[in-house]
Structures are given as C-alpha cells and as structure tokens.
Amino acid sequence: MRLATLRAGGRDGTLVVVRGDGLACTPAAAVAPTLQAALDDWDRCGPALAALAARLDGGDAPVHPLDPAALHSPLPRAYEWVDASAFLSHVRLVRRARGAEPPPTLTTDPLVYQGGSGVLLAPTDAIPAGDPGWGLDLEGEVCVILGDVPPGTGAAEAARHVRLLCLANDVTLRNLVPAELAKGFGFFQAKPATAFSPFAVTPDELGEAWRGGRIHLPLEVWHNGAQVGRCEAGEMHFSFFDLLAHLARTRAFTAGTILGSGTVSNEDPSRGVSCLAERRMLEQLESGAARTPFLRPGDRVRIEMHDARGRSVFGAIDQEVVA
C-alpha cells in the first residue's frame, strides 16, 4: 500500500491511503489520524490500512482526487532523521572535491549523521537559496521509515523493523561542510531541512525490487528539466539492514525514525549523478574546472522512481529554489 499525508489537519497533517494509480486517495482517519499514530500502533493499523487500500483499489471506498500540492511529507516532523552515506562512489567523489581523504574504514564502518527532523519539507515546498556563497546542492536518496527498534538489533533481524520506504531530497550547503567537519563534530549548519516524497510505501509494493535491504530500481533526478541522473539504487555498499544494525549497536530507535541511504551514486559515470557536487567533480577531472553552478533561485529539482511497469512508486519531489 501507499500512504500520504494531507497538509490539512494540524502540524502532523491527515493520513490518507493512496490508490494504485496515484491519482486518488481515501481518508484513513477511522484507522489512524496521522502516519505517526499508525506507526505507533502498527500491529493493528498496518493490516487495517492494507485492507482499506484493497477496498480503495477495488472501488469500494470513498474516493477523493489527489492534488500533489495538497500533500505534506509523509511525516511532516519525525522523531529522528538519520542519514548515512552508503554509496561509496559518492563519498570518494565529494571528499576528493574538497581535498579530503575517505576514512580508512570506509568499506567496513558506515558513515552516518543525525539531521534535523523537527521541520521536514513537503515534496512541492520551495527550497530557500540562502547566501549564494553557501553552495546549495540537491541530494537524491532512498529511505526507510522504521518501527520501534530495540538496541542490539542485528542485520539479520532488521527487516521486521522496516515499515515503509520513501525518497528524499537531502539538501546540502556544500561550502559550509569543510569548516564544520574541521571542528571534528559533524554537520549542522550545512544541512538545512530535507524534503520527502509524496508517498511512503510498504516494501511489498516493490515486489522483487525490494530485496536484501536495498531498492533495486533507478533513481531519476532532473535539474531544470534535464535529467542529470538515473543511478541504480540497488548499488548500496551497505544495505538498510546493515545500516540499521550499525545504528542500533548502542541505542534504541522509536517508531517514526527515518533512515536515509545517502546520495544515490554509481561507479559508472554514464548513469549520471544525484547531486551537483558529483557532476562538478567529474567536470573537474575531465577538463580541469567545474562548470555546473550550484542551485540558484529559479532552478527546479525533480526526484522520482518508476518501477518495471512504469508506475511512479513514490510520486515526485518537485521543488523550486527561491531567494
């Protein structure tokens, strides 16, 4: 099933179930008022929402047209937003761009940081440009939304804690990164609010494309109407199961935690990029200078993923950069 959150209904919005074609929805208030409420009581709400989705697709539930502009992020605010860097080609390229070496444990110990989760952007919200010198960049990612995760959960047990999947545009202010990391205390100012896809979907919606804790589909990224990337999301070095085990080594996580893959990136440059920093680095390697500017007011970003049938699985993140 696919779930979404209408902007109406307070800070946490109103939960709806989305029809299979993505064009209509039905209210889910009889099951749970919000997605967070459903996640908190998933053993009851999950099956009830699935039954409602089946009735909706069978024409036996109230139907309302679905306006993408009326949707918030599936979770307008989350208990935690934890992002990894599970695509190693991205790590190597962006570190090279700022003259830094990858850590010696790159292939064995996942890189993660904790982002701001109190304010999450809707899929059609504007991206504030801020200071032009900050180096505003997009980052196309895949994510999982978790149920309650006890400490010590291993990779072999991780699948049972994955409730939903979605996409993200994890915006980065590239030129603020080096000074922050030089303090030895992680990102903060360099990571403003993240936007998420309109729909959060259960893993079964992807069929065989969800296996081994990875989404085996290409992530499509457009910049100003031109496709800049179609990277295979299944090439994660660390799976979501690996990442969850890494997070839970010393901590518990509550239902509603979002875990991101980091920028989807492939070793094959012909597949393009999911962020502008990689494109700039590739240009520098090819010609000695980066030509692509970072995002500026008036730019548009679109991030989407289609399945083998051509269906937009998560809907589209479609944002304009504003001054």
Side-chain angles (χ1 to χ4, degrees), residues 221-254:
V221 178
W222 287 265
H223 177 218
N224 291 337
Q227 190 172 63
V228 297
R230 198 171 186 275
C231 294
E232 173 54 58
E235 285 192 13
M236 290 173 71
H237 178 79
F238 299 104
S239 73
F240 280 114
F241 300 160
D242 297 327
L243 296 176
L244 193 153
H246 178 78
L247 298 186
R249 182 184 180 194
T250 61
R251 296 170 57 178
F253 288 87
T254 192

Side-chain angles (χ1 to χ4, degrees), residues 158-264:
R160 72 184 70 169
H161 303 293
V162 173
R163 299 287 181 257
L164 300 162
L165 314 172
C166 63
L167 307 180
N169 180 17
D170 181 44
V171 174
T172 299
L173 303 174
R174 295 290 181 192
N175 295 338
L176 299 186
V177 170
E180 288 206 282
L181 292 185
K183 301 176 186 179
F185 214 58
F187 300 118
F188 195 86
Q189 292 181 339
K191 303 300 291 190
T194 302
F196 291 88
S197 56
F199 311 146
V201 313
T202 47
D204 63 288
E205 280 284 319
L206 276 74
E208 287 299 311
W210 171 251
R211 61 185 187 275
R214 297 174 175 87
I215 300 175
H216 293 267
L217 290 171
L219 183 71
E220 303 153 25
V221 178
W222 287 265
H223 177 218
N224 291 337
Q227 190 172 63
V228 297
R230 198 171 186 275
C231 294
E232 173 54 58
E235 285 192 13
M236 290 173 71
H237 178 79
F238 299 104
S239 73
F240 280 114
F241 300 160
D242 297 327
L243 296 176
L244 193 153
H246 178 78
L247 298 186
R249 182 184 180 194
T250 61
R251 296 170 57 178
F253 288 87
T254 192
T257 296
I258 308 173
L259 170 59
S261 66
T263 304
V264 177

Side-chain angles (χ1 to χ4, degrees), residues 102-127:
T105 57
L106 179 65
T107 62
T108 57
D109 194 20
L111 296 169
V112 298
Y113 82 93
Q114 189 148 356
S117 60
V119 177
L120 302 178
L121 298 182
T124 56
D125 277 350
I127 305 171

